[in-house]
Amino acid sequence: MRNQPQTIRKTLCTALVLTLLAGCGTAGRVYDPPTELPGATENPRLSEVVVGQDTVLLQQALMDLVQDADRSGADLAGTPPNEFISIYYEDLESGDILSLYPASYYPCSMVKLVCLAAVYDAIADSEIQEEEVSDMLDAMIEISDNTSYNVLAQLAGSDRIQHILEAAGTRNTVVNHGLLPGDAYFGGDPDLPDNTATAEDMGKILRYIHNWPDEEIRGKMIERLTRCEDDKALVQGLPAEVTVAHKTGWADGLYHDGAIVMEPDGGTYILVVMTENAPMEELSLIAETVTGFRGRKMTGEEPAA
């Protein structure tokens, strides 16, 4: 009897998938990597938000790291591959923000952050019953299941997804279609642009989740994000004592990771890294750099020359 609610949820999830999957057909989409992203060593930009001097030091450290990134994947002609690394960092206590090397990327499964917020927005409005979609939410975040995302996005609806994007303050992100095996456009309009996002906008979505006004819903979303099983990137560069609520996305030479990092002393920050053709180790090194910066900041230690 103790497992009955879970069995009911799984039965309901199966019914929802069979009912809604017809609206999530395949469009046979193949991602065409952009060719005009700004080069990582050429277009650094600090957000317009005024930051403290210590955060300026972090900016320089991250810029140095990106500029020194391993570009050993040159072809036989000696031309390095197009390699792009965009970084968004926000200290949720001080408000300091860094947005470095901004560029638009295909977001892969990071769009599931937007879907997560949209579904809980519908739950708050009693338009979706949480117990009926709990298993799909788990699958979408923990193992990045695309079918669960496709069904949940259809349930939440494109209008609510757009509402989340606007409420979070995103400027360069669109979420218009599902993910394989059901990557059709929402509403069936093939003229809509493909999904796209920036590191800064994904950071804003994470901030929106972190600042969700209903404490219970906020806690549920963050707890689910702590169970993301893909820990090959940012998590590898973060200390074991922090709590990491994050979501990754990858495909076709792209690898992205965005996290709310909660420190044991109560400090909280957001770190998002989006990359194309960059070694995954770069994400870990970026996380290590931020960790070292925050450790010195907490202790008052002067940064190394």
Side-chain angles (χ1 to χ4, degrees), residues 7-21 132 135-136 147 151:
T7 302
I8 293 172
R9 286 201 304 272
K10 288 182 177 178
T11 302
L12 288 167
C13 286
T14 301
L16 283 168
V17 169
L18 293 174
T19 302
L20 295 172
L21 206 51
E132 295 179 3
D135 287 337
M136 284 190 289
T147 298
V151 174

Side-chain angles (χ1 to χ4, degrees), residues 71-100:
R71 288 173 170 78
S72 59
D75 61 25
L76 294 178
T79 302
N82 288 330
E83 178 181 310
F84 308 104
I85 302 173
S86 298
I87 305 170
Y88 181 81
Y89 165 84
E90 179 175 354
D91 185 320
L92 292 178
E93 275 64 51
S94 70
D96 282 1
I97 292 174
L98 294 175
S99 182
L100 300 175

Side-chain angles (χ1 to χ4, degrees), residues 80 117 150 232 262 268 278 281:
N150 292 335
K232 298 186 294 293
M262 293 158 280
T268 304
E281 291 78 11

Side-chain angles (χ1 to χ4, degrees), residues 98-142:
L98 294 175
S99 182
L100 300 175
Y101 311 106
S104 294
Y105 297 82
Y106 181 66
C108 312
S109 286
M110 287 198 75
V111 294
K112 292 166 185 173
L113 290 169
V114 183
C115 185
L116 176 69
V119 169
Y120 269 103
D121 188 61
I123 289 171
D125 288 343
S126 300
E127 295 185 12
I128 292 178
Q129 300 304 309
E130 184 177 10
E131 62 272 15
E132 295 179 3
V133 298
S134 181
D135 287 337
M136 284 190 289
L137 286 168
D138 287 343
M140 180 179 74
I141 299 301
E142 290 182 36

Side-chain angles (χ1 to χ4, degrees), residues 179-259:
L179 300 172
L180 288 172
D183 62 343
Y185 290 94
F186 303 142
D189 183 356
D191 294 326
L192 292 171
D194 284 355
N195 294 348
T196 188
T198 65
E200 182 171 334
D201 280 353
M202 290 296 96
K204 289 177 179 178
I205 294 295
L206 286 166
R207 182 208 301 157
Y208 189 74
I209 290 172
H210 178 271
N211 294 341
W212 197 277
D214 185 293
E215 184 175 350
E216 181 179 3
I217 288 179
R218 177 173 68 250
K220 288 179 177 179
M221 287 193 287
I222 290 176
E223 193 276 331
R224 275 198 157 91
L225 290 170
T226 64
R227 289 189 268 130
C228 174
E229 292 185 359
D230 184 0
D231 61 358
K232 298 186 294 293
L234 293 180
V235 174
Q236 294 300 312
L238 295 170
E241 61 268 20
V242 302
T243 300
V244 185
H246 75 120
K247 184 71 191 78
T248 59
W250 57 271
D252 300 304
L254 300 162
Y255 203 96
H256 316 313
D257 199 353

